[in-house]
Amino acid sequence: MIKINNLHKSYKMGSSSLHVLKGIDFEVEEGELVAIMGSSGSGKSTLLNIVGMLDVADSGIYELDQVPIKDLDETKAAQYRNKFLGFVFQSFNLINYKSALENVALPLYYQGLKRKERQQKSLDYLEKVGLKDWASHLPSELSGGQKQRVAIARALASQPKVLLADEPTGALDTKTSYEVMDLIQKINEEGNTILVVTHELDIAKMCKRIVTLKDGVIVEDKKVEQDLASAHV
Ligand code: ADP
Ligand code: MG
């Protein structure tokens, strides 16, 4: 599903530059649930943003679903992003003046779905994340965990091939974090490929595989034992 070879990325900082990714080799198969771990500043978001086609690498190979991403123009890239990728962020990124339902429905509007279809699909996905009864509520009326569930429903409604979550539990308390990760596990069990960026080991252990970044390289890549993945340790 995802194939990355010798990926490099630097940020220009005036006259100097900061080499953030220093030759990343990384593959993800369909149906995996992968945590990308590492301390703050280790390049996790940079890697996820490149995978998510929100940013481009300086060099190296990136293939998504066997398509080399480098050669795509802006329009094609946007099409691929909409079709293949769903995003969940630490800060939820919901639109404050729109209801939970409208937030989930918005990307479907841009996909050209008719109003009735958008509403039905959005309700279905809100139900999937346990928030059907909250459809008409504004984000300000929802808890942090509920907001993240709406964001997950919004990401899933476009039926992406890969769900990318950057610190999805970063703004949540421990109990709520585990609930959100339980939901992410459930979504993965239904067949979705998911990448979760986190700097917390207990969250990473709720994934099936942990890839650890340090100083711009992958220093560890290991499977999580499944009894650990289901237990809240
Ligand atoms: P992480 O998500 O692991 O905390 P990031 O990928 O966000 O790390 O950042 C890696 C490094 O790159 C950090 O030192 C950060 O300050 C720097 N960085 C990230 N984005 C930019 C940017 N747009 N411009 C310049 N430096 C950046
Ligand atoms: Mg980050």
Short mmCIF file of all heavy atoms in Angstrom, two decimals, residues 82-123:
data_model
loop_
_atom_site.label_atom_id
_atom_site.label_comp_id
_atom_site.label_asym_id
_atom_site.label_seq_id
_atom_site.Cartn_x
_atom_site.Cartn_y
_atom_site.Cartn_z
N ASN A 82 -7.75 13.09 -1.95
CA ASN A 82 -9.17 12.94 -1.60
C ASN A 82 -9.63 11.50 -1.69
O ASN A 82 -10.47 11.06 -0.91
CB ASN A 82 -10.03 13.81 -2.52
CG ASN A 82 -9.81 15.28 -2.26
OD1 ASN A 82 -9.39 15.65 -1.15
ND2 ASN A 82 -10.03 16.12 -3.24
N LYS A 83 -9.08 10.79 -2.65
CA LYS A 83 -9.55 9.44 -2.91
C LYS A 83 -8.90 8.41 -1.98
O LYS A 83 -9.53 7.45 -1.56
CB LYS A 83 -9.22 9.10 -4.36
CG LYS A 83 -9.93 7.91 -4.91
CD LYS A 83 -9.81 7.89 -6.44
CE LYS A 83 -9.71 6.47 -6.94
NZ LYS A 83 -9.12 6.39 -8.26
N PHE A 84 -7.64 8.62 -1.67
CA PHE A 84 -6.87 7.59 -0.99
C PHE A 84 -6.66 7.84 0.50
O PHE A 84 -6.39 6.92 1.25
CB PHE A 84 -5.49 7.44 -1.64
CG PHE A 84 -5.50 6.75 -2.96
CD1 PHE A 84 -4.64 7.14 -3.96
CD2 PHE A 84 -6.36 5.69 -3.20
CE1 PHE A 84 -4.63 6.49 -5.19
CE2 PHE A 84 -6.36 5.03 -4.42
CZ PHE A 84 -5.49 5.43 -5.41
N LEU A 85 -6.73 9.10 0.93
CA LEU A 85 -6.23 9.42 2.25
C LEU A 85 -7.25 10.13 3.13
O LEU A 85 -7.96 11.02 2.68
CB LEU A 85 -4.99 10.32 2.11
CG LEU A 85 -3.86 9.71 1.28
CD1 LEU A 85 -2.89 10.77 0.81
CD2 LEU A 85 -3.14 8.64 2.09
N GLY A 86 -7.31 9.70 4.39
CA GLY A 86 -8.13 10.38 5.38
C GLY A 86 -7.23 10.88 6.50
O GLY A 86 -6.26 10.21 6.85
N PHE A 87 -7.55 12.05 7.03
CA PHE A 87 -6.67 12.65 8.04
C PHE A 87 -7.39 12.88 9.37
O PHE A 87 -8.55 13.29 9.38
CB PHE A 87 -6.16 14.01 7.56
CG PHE A 87 -5.28 13.92 6.36
CD1 PHE A 87 -5.81 14.01 5.09
CD2 PHE A 87 -3.91 13.74 6.50
CE1 PHE A 87 -5.00 13.91 3.97
CE2 PHE A 87 -3.09 13.64 5.39
CZ PHE A 87 -3.63 13.73 4.12
N VAL A 88 -6.66 12.63 10.45
CA VAL A 88 -7.15 12.96 11.79
C VAL A 88 -6.01 13.67 12.51
O VAL A 88 -4.86 13.22 12.45
CB VAL A 88 -7.54 11.68 12.57
CG1 VAL A 88 -7.92 12.00 14.00
CG2 VAL A 88 -8.69 10.96 11.88
N PHE A 89 -6.32 14.81 13.13
CA PHE A 89 -5.28 15.62 13.77
C PHE A 89 -5.50 15.74 15.28
O PHE A 89 -6.62 15.57 15.77
CB PHE A 89 -5.27 17.03 13.15
CG PHE A 89 -5.00 17.05 11.68
CD1 PHE A 89 -6.04 17.13 10.76
CD2 PHE A 89 -3.70 16.94 11.19
CE1 PHE A 89 -5.79 17.13 9.39
CE2 PHE A 89 -3.44 16.95 9.82
CZ PHE A 89 -4.49 17.04 8.93
N GLN A 90 -4.44 16.09 15.98
CA GLN A 90 -4.50 16.28 17.43
C GLN A 90 -5.60 17.28 17.81
O GLN A 90 -6.32 17.09 18.79
CB GLN A 90 -3.14 16.79 17.91
CG GLN A 90 -3.11 17.15 19.38
CD GLN A 90 -1.70 17.46 19.85
OE1 GLN A 90 -0.72 17.33 19.11
NE2 GLN A 90 -1.59 17.87 21.10
N SER A 91 -5.71 18.36 17.02
CA SER A 91 -6.62 19.45 17.38
C SER A 91 -7.98 19.33 16.68
O SER A 91 -8.71 20.31 16.60
CB SER A 91 -5.95 20.77 17.05
OG SER A 91 -5.49 20.74 15.71
N PHE A 92 -8.30 18.15 16.19
CA PHE A 92 -9.60 17.79 15.61
C PHE A 92 -9.90 18.49 14.27
O PHE A 92 -10.42 17.88 13.37
CB PHE A 92 -10.76 18.05 16.60
CG PHE A 92 -10.44 17.74 18.04
CD1 PHE A 92 -10.59 18.68 19.03
CD2 PHE A 92 -9.97 16.47 18.38
CE1 PHE A 92 -10.27 18.37 20.35
CE2 PHE A 92 -9.67 16.15 19.71
CZ PHE A 92 -9.81 17.11 20.69
N ASN A 93 -9.58 19.80 14.19
CA ASN A 93 -9.82 20.57 12.96
C ASN A 93 -11.28 20.50 12.47
O ASN A 93 -11.52 20.34 11.29
CB ASN A 93 -8.87 20.13 11.84
CG ASN A 93 -7.42 20.49 12.14
OD1 ASN A 93 -7.11 20.88 13.26
ND2 ASN A 93 -6.56 20.36 11.18
N LEU A 94 -12.21 20.64 13.41
CA LEU A 94 -13.62 20.72 13.03
C LEU A 94 -13.98 22.17 12.76
O LEU A 94 -13.33 23.09 13.27
CB LEU A 94 -14.51 20.16 14.14
CG LEU A 94 -14.29 18.69 14.50
CD1 LEU A 94 -15.18 18.28 15.66
CD2 LEU A 94 -14.52 17.79 13.30
N ILE A 95 -15.02 22.36 11.97
CA ILE A 95 -15.51 23.72 11.72
C ILE A 95 -16.52 24.06 12.81
O ILE A 95 -17.53 23.37 12.98
CB ILE A 95 -16.12 23.82 10.31
CG1 ILE A 95 -15.01 23.55 9.29
CG2 ILE A 95 -16.74 25.19 10.09
CD1 ILE A 95 -15.48 23.44 7.88
N ASN A 96 -16.23 25.12 13.57
CA ASN A 96 -16.95 25.38 14.82
C ASN A 96 -18.41 25.74 14.65
O ASN A 96 -19.22 25.46 15.53
CB ASN A 96 -16.26 26.50 15.60
CG ASN A 96 -14.94 26.02 16.17
OD1 ASN A 96 -14.84 24.88 16.62
ND2 ASN A 96 -13.91 26.87 16.13
N TYR A 97 -18.74 26.38 13.52
CA TYR A 97 -20.13 26.82 13.35
C TYR A 97 -20.97 25.79 12.59
O TYR A 97 -22.10 26.06 12.22
CB TYR A 97 -20.18 28.19 12.67
CG TYR A 97 -19.48 28.24 11.33
CD1 TYR A 97 -20.16 27.86 10.17
CD2 TYR A 97 -18.15 28.64 11.23
CE1 TYR A 97 -19.53 27.87 8.95
CE2 TYR A 97 -17.51 28.66 10.00
CZ TYR A 97 -18.21 28.28 8.87
OH TYR A 97 -17.58 28.28 7.66
N LYS A 98 -20.38 24.62 12.35
CA LYS A 98 -21.16 23.56 11.69
C LYS A 98 -21.40 22.40 12.66
O LYS A 98 -20.56 22.11 13.51
CB LYS A 98 -20.40 23.05 10.46
CG LYS A 98 -20.41 24.04 9.30
CD LYS A 98 -19.89 23.39 8.04
CE LYS A 98 -19.88 24.36 6.87
NZ LYS A 98 -21.24 24.68 6.39
N SER A 99 -22.55 21.76 12.52
CA SER A 99 -22.90 20.64 13.39
C SER A 99 -21.98 19.45 13.11
O SER A 99 -21.26 19.44 12.10
CB SER A 99 -24.35 20.22 13.15
OG SER A 99 -24.46 19.63 11.86
N ALA A 100 -22.05 18.46 14.00
CA ALA A 100 -21.26 17.23 13.80
C ALA A 100 -21.58 16.64 12.42
O ALA A 100 -20.68 16.29 11.66
CB ALA A 100 -21.59 16.23 14.91
N LEU A 101 -22.88 16.57 12.11
CA LEU A 101 -23.30 16.01 10.82
C LEU A 101 -22.72 16.80 9.64
O LEU A 101 -22.19 16.24 8.69
CB LEU A 101 -24.83 15.97 10.72
CG LEU A 101 -25.35 15.29 9.46
CD1 LEU A 101 -25.47 13.79 9.66
CD2 LEU A 101 -26.67 15.88 9.00
N GLU A 102 -22.82 18.13 9.74
CA GLU A 102 -22.32 18.97 8.64
C GLU A 102 -20.81 18.85 8.49
O GLU A 102 -20.29 18.89 7.37
CB GLU A 102 -22.71 20.43 8.88
CG GLU A 102 -24.20 20.69 8.71
CD GLU A 102 -24.64 22.02 9.29
OE1 GLU A 102 -23.95 22.58 10.18
OE2 GLU A 102 -25.71 22.50 8.87
N ASN A 103 -20.10 18.69 9.61
CA ASN A 103 -18.66 18.50 9.53
C ASN A 103 -18.31 17.22 8.78
O ASN A 103 -17.40 17.22 7.95
CB ASN A 103 -18.05 18.47 10.94
CG ASN A 103 -17.57 19.83 11.40
OD1 ASN A 103 -16.52 20.31 10.99
ND2 ASN A 103 -18.37 20.48 12.23
N VAL A 104 -19.04 16.16 9.09
CA VAL A 104 -18.78 14.88 8.40
C VAL A 104 -19.17 14.98 6.93
O VAL A 104 -18.50 14.42 6.05
CB VAL A 104 -19.54 13.73 9.10
CG1 VAL A 104 -19.31 12.41 8.36
CG2 VAL A 104 -19.08 13.60 10.56
N ALA A 105 -20.22 15.74 6.66
CA ALA A 105 -20.77 15.81 5.29
C ALA A 105 -19.94 16.68 4.35
O ALA A 105 -19.99 16.49 3.13
CB ALA A 105 -22.21 16.33 5.34
N LEU A 106 -19.18 17.61 4.89
CA LEU A 106 -18.50 18.59 4.04
C LEU A 106 -17.61 17.98 2.95
O LEU A 106 -17.73 18.34 1.78
CB LEU A 106 -17.72 19.59 4.91
CG LEU A 106 -17.25 20.84 4.17
CD1 LEU A 106 -18.43 21.62 3.60
CD2 LEU A 106 -16.43 21.73 5.09
N PRO A 107 -16.71 17.03 3.29
CA PRO A 107 -15.88 16.44 2.23
C PRO A 107 -16.72 15.72 1.18
O PRO A 107 -16.32 15.66 0.01
CB PRO A 107 -14.99 15.43 2.97
CG PRO A 107 -15.06 15.81 4.40
CD PRO A 107 -16.38 16.48 4.61
N LEU A 108 -17.88 15.23 1.58
CA LEU A 108 -18.74 14.52 0.63
C LEU A 108 -19.36 15.50 -0.36
O LEU A 108 -19.62 15.16 -1.51
CB LEU A 108 -19.84 13.76 1.39
CG LEU A 108 -19.33 12.76 2.42
CD1 LEU A 108 -20.49 12.12 3.17
CD2 LEU A 108 -18.47 11.69 1.76
N TYR A 109 -19.57 16.72 0.13
CA TYR A 109 -20.05 17.79 -0.76
C TYR A 109 -19.02 18.03 -1.87
O TYR A 109 -19.34 18.10 -3.04
CB TYR A 109 -20.28 19.06 0.06
CG TYR A 109 -20.58 20.28 -0.76
CD1 TYR A 109 -21.87 20.53 -1.22
CD2 TYR A 109 -19.57 21.19 -1.08
CE1 TYR A 109 -22.15 21.65 -1.99
CE2 TYR A 109 -19.84 22.32 -1.84
CZ TYR A 109 -21.13 22.54 -2.29
OH TYR A 109 -21.40 23.65 -3.05
N TYR A 110 -17.75 18.10 -1.46
CA TYR A 110 -16.70 18.34 -2.46
C TYR A 110 -16.50 17.15 -3.38
O TYR A 110 -15.97 17.28 -4.47
CB TYR A 110 -15.38 18.71 -1.77
CG TYR A 110 -15.46 20.06 -1.12
CD1 TYR A 110 -15.42 20.20 0.27
CD2 TYR A 110 -15.63 21.20 -1.90
CE1 TYR A 110 -15.53 21.45 0.87
CE2 TYR A 110 -15.74 22.44 -1.31
CZ TYR A 110 -15.69 22.57 0.07
OH TYR A 110 -15.81 23.79 0.64
N GLN A 111 -16.97 15.98 -2.94
CA GLN A 111 -16.90 14.81 -3.82
C GLN A 111 -18.08 14.75 -4.78
O GLN A 111 -18.16 13.84 -5.60
CB GLN A 111 -16.88 13.53 -2.98
CG GLN A 111 -15.54 13.28 -2.33
CD GLN A 111 -15.46 11.92 -1.68
OE1 GLN A 111 -16.44 11.18 -1.66
NE2 GLN A 111 -14.31 11.58 -1.18
N GLY A 112 -19.02 15.69 -4.61
CA GLY A 112 -20.13 15.77 -5.54
C GLY A 112 -21.33 14.91 -5.18
O GLY A 112 -22.22 14.71 -6.01
N LEU A 113 -21.39 14.41 -3.95
CA LEU A 113 -22.57 13.62 -3.56
C LEU A 113 -23.79 14.53 -3.37
O LEU A 113 -23.66 15.67 -2.91
CB LEU A 113 -22.30 12.88 -2.24
CG LEU A 113 -21.78 11.44 -2.37
CD1 LEU A 113 -20.38 11.43 -2.92
CD2 LEU A 113 -21.82 10.75 -1.03
N LYS A 114 -24.94 14.01 -3.69
CA LYS A 114 -26.18 14.77 -3.50
C LYS A 114 -26.50 14.90 -2.01
O LYS A 114 -26.07 14.08 -1.20
CB LYS A 114 -27.34 14.05 -4.20
CG LYS A 114 -27.13 13.92 -5.70
CD LYS A 114 -28.39 14.33 -6.46
CE LYS A 114 -28.09 14.61 -7.90
NZ LYS A 114 -27.49 13.44 -8.62
N ARG A 115 -27.30 15.93 -1.69
CA ARG A 115 -27.59 16.27 -0.30
C ARG A 115 -28.10 15.09 0.53
O ARG A 115 -27.61 14.82 1.63
CB ARG A 115 -28.61 17.41 -0.30
CG ARG A 115 -28.88 17.99 1.06
CD ARG A 115 -29.95 19.06 0.98
NE ARG A 115 -30.52 19.28 2.31
CZ ARG A 115 -29.95 20.06 3.23
NH1 ARG A 115 -28.83 20.67 2.97
NH2 ARG A 115 -30.51 20.20 4.41
N LYS A 116 -29.07 14.39 -0.01
CA LYS A 116 -29.66 13.23 0.69
C LYS A 116 -28.61 12.17 0.99
O LYS A 116 -28.53 11.63 2.10
CB LYS A 116 -30.77 12.59 -0.17
CG LYS A 116 -32.16 13.11 0.11
CD LYS A 116 -33.05 11.97 0.67
CE LYS A 116 -34.25 12.50 1.43
NZ LYS A 116 -35.21 13.17 0.55
N GLU A 117 -27.79 11.89 -0.03
CA GLU A 117 -26.72 10.89 0.11
C GLU A 117 -25.71 11.31 1.18
O GLU A 117 -25.25 10.50 1.98
CB GLU A 117 -25.96 10.76 -1.21
CG GLU A 117 -26.48 9.73 -2.17
CD GLU A 117 -25.61 9.71 -3.41
OE1 GLU A 117 -25.75 10.65 -4.23
OE2 GLU A 117 -24.77 8.81 -3.54
N ARG A 118 -25.36 12.59 1.13
CA ARG A 118 -24.39 13.12 2.10
C ARG A 118 -24.92 12.95 3.51
O ARG A 118 -24.20 12.52 4.41
CB ARG A 118 -24.15 14.63 1.86
CG ARG A 118 -23.49 14.97 0.55
CD ARG A 118 -22.89 16.36 0.60
NE ARG A 118 -23.78 17.45 0.90
CZ ARG A 118 -24.42 18.20 -0.02
NH1 ARG A 118 -24.26 17.96 -1.30
NH2 ARG A 118 -25.19 19.20 0.36
N GLN A 119 -26.18 13.29 3.70
CA GLN A 119 -26.79 13.23 5.03
C GLN A 119 -26.82 11.79 5.54
O GLN A 119 -26.46 11.53 6.69
CB GLN A 119 -28.20 13.78 4.96
CG GLN A 119 -28.21 15.27 4.66
CD GLN A 119 -29.06 16.05 5.63
OE1 GLN A 119 -30.03 15.51 6.16
NE2 GLN A 119 -28.72 17.28 5.88
N GLN A 120 -27.25 10.88 4.67
CA GLN A 120 -27.38 9.49 5.07
C GLN A 120 -26.01 8.90 5.41
O GLN A 120 -25.83 8.27 6.45
CB GLN A 120 -28.06 8.68 3.95
CG GLN A 120 -28.43 7.26 4.39
CD GLN A 120 -29.25 7.26 5.68
OE1 GLN A 120 -30.26 7.95 5.79
NE2 GLN A 120 -28.78 6.52 6.69
N LYS A 121 -25.04 9.17 4.53
CA LYS A 121 -23.71 8.64 4.74
C LYS A 121 -23.08 9.20 6.03
O LYS A 121 -22.47 8.47 6.80
CB LYS A 121 -22.83 9.00 3.53
CG LYS A 121 -21.76 8.00 3.28
CD LYS A 121 -21.12 8.18 1.94
CE LYS A 121 -20.12 7.06 1.74
NZ LYS A 121 -19.33 7.22 0.53
N SER A 122 -23.29 10.49 6.24
CA SER A 122 -22.73 11.13 7.43
C SER A 122 -23.35 10.55 8.69
O SER A 122 -22.64 10.29 9.67
CB SER A 122 -22.96 12.64 7.38
OG SER A 122 -22.40 13.17 6.21
N LEU A 123 -24.64 10.32 8.66
CA LEU A 123 -25.32 9.72 9.81
C LEU A 123 -24.79 8.30 10.06
O LEU A 123 -24.54 7.92 11.21
CB LEU A 123 -26.82 9.65 9.57
CG LEU A 123 -27.70 10.67 10.28
CD1 LEU A 123 -29.16 10.32 10.06
CD2 LEU A 123 -27.40 10.76 11.77
#
